[in-house]
Amino acid sequence: MRNILIADDHSIVRLGASVIISGLIKNALILQAETYEEVYQYITKQPFDLLLLDINMPGGNNIRVIKEILQIQPELKILVFSSYDEHLYALRYIQEGACGYLNKNTAMDDLKIAIQSVQERGKYMSDTVRNLYIQKLISNKTEVEKINPLLKLSNREMDVAKHLIDGLGILEVSNVLQLSSSTVSTYKSRVFEKLNVNNIPELIELFKLNEE
């Protein structure tokens, strides 16, 4: 790997990741982006071998961005580097095409291991994500959803739920996800029905209970 793009809206994270990558990969060209718009500007102009991607950045924050990026550069390795809980999001992003998912709360040494794994094997799974993957393989859908009801949600429903628990209203979610307000309202209703909750505080509490 030689051309690497670090996408994160926090400069300290980009700096730390750059230092680690520079130590791992000699003569690497490392570029940085702090919004999804900048990510798209870069990947439409030149090829990259690795994209270290924070999924909670201005202009994005939805699961579909993985496929959108891979439509532009199908061979690009995307390592998601996020503060979002692995239990809820890792497999969703990997199934969309990311080569790995790493939680930001882990030690920087784990980032080094993840990048080395992607470089050598083309993918990375932490012990947590690997266990989730195995559990999903050996369990049927109903059993998995009993363990964690949030897994009942589709990717789009999860996107909407995630923004609702972050305090966004219907119009704000529609702007972020580029959906009509009526469509967002429909997704919200589906989320409430599937999870058997009646309001946002109950939704927040359910997410808290199932993030561990």
Side-chain angles (χ1 to χ4, degrees):
M1 294 191 295
R2 285 294 177 266
N3 294 344
I4 297 168
L5 179 59
I6 300 172
D8 195 293
D9 58 341
H10 294 93
S11 58
I12 189 68
V13 174
R14 297 196 305 272
L15 176 60
S18 295
V19 171
I20 287 177
I21 293 171
S22 296
L24 282 174
I25 306 170
K26 303 304 179 186
N27 302 318
L29 172 64
I30 303 173
L31 299 179
Q32 300 181 14
E34 57 182 319
T35 65
Y36 274 106
E37 182 179 355
E38 290 182 3
V39 171
Y40 289 120
Q41 288 175 351
Y42 275 124
I43 64 176
T44 53
K45 291 178 181 177
Q46 67 182 90
F48 286 90
D49 301 298
L50 173 66
L51 168 60
L52 185 63
L53 179 68
D54 177 14
I55 53 178
N56 186 19
M57 285 195 308
N61 199 359
N62 67 83
I63 297 170
R64 292 187 179 183
V65 298
I66 300 298
K67 283 188 175 179
E68 291 172 358
I69 292 171
L70 292 176
Q71 285 176 349
I72 300 172
Q73 290 198 29
E75 302 302 317
L76 176 60
K77 300 296 183 184
I78 304 175
L79 177 61
V80 175
F81 190 46
S82 170
S83 58
Y84 287 136
D85 186 78
E86 288 178 304
H87 293 83
L88 297 184
Y89 298 101
L91 290 184
R92 292 178 184 269
Y93 279 92
I94 290 172
Q95 288 167 349
E96 286 296 293
C99 67
Y101 190 105
L102 184 66
N103 191 285
K104 282 185 178 179
N105 294 327
T106 58
M108 275 299 184
D109 279 346
D110 291 326
L111 176 57
K112 183 186 296 185
I113 292 169
I115 293 173
Q116 285 176 323
S117 179
V118 172
Q119 186 178 20
E120 295 168 4
R121 295 185 290 277
K123 61 183 179 180
Y124 168 77
M125 280 191 183
S126 67
D127 291 339
T128 298
V129 176
R130 188 178 296 107
N131 289 336
L132 288 172
Y133 183 71
I134 293 172
Q135 184 182 64
K136 184 171 182 178
L137 287 178
I138 63 177
S139 304
N140 63 45
K141 188 172 183 290
T142 302
E143 290 174 340
V144 172
E145 290 175 354
K146 284 181 180 179
I147 296 171
N148 189 340
L150 299 180
L151 298 177
K152 295 178 182 178
L153 303 181
S154 69
N155 286 344
R156 210 46 161 165
E157 290 164 353
M158 179 62 86
D159 284 335
V160 170
K162 181 170 58 180
H163 289 301
L164 291 174
I165 65 175
D166 284 341
L168 274 64
I170 297 295
L171 289 177
E172 293 170 305
V173 176
S174 67
N175 288 332
V176 171
L177 298 180
Q178 297 182 334
L179 299 170
S180 69
S181 57
S182 60
T183 299
V184 173
S185 294
T186 298
Y187 278 124
K188 178 182 176 181
S189 297
R190 289 180 188 171
V191 169
F192 279 27
E193 181 179 353
K194 286 185 176 182
L195 300 181
N196 194 28
V197 297
N198 299 304
N199 50 52
I200 299 299
E202 289 183 6
L203 182 65
I204 292 172
E205 185 62 26
L206 187 63
F207 265 73
K208 287 181 179 178
L209 288 172
N210 289 278
E211 283 183 344
E212 298 302 329

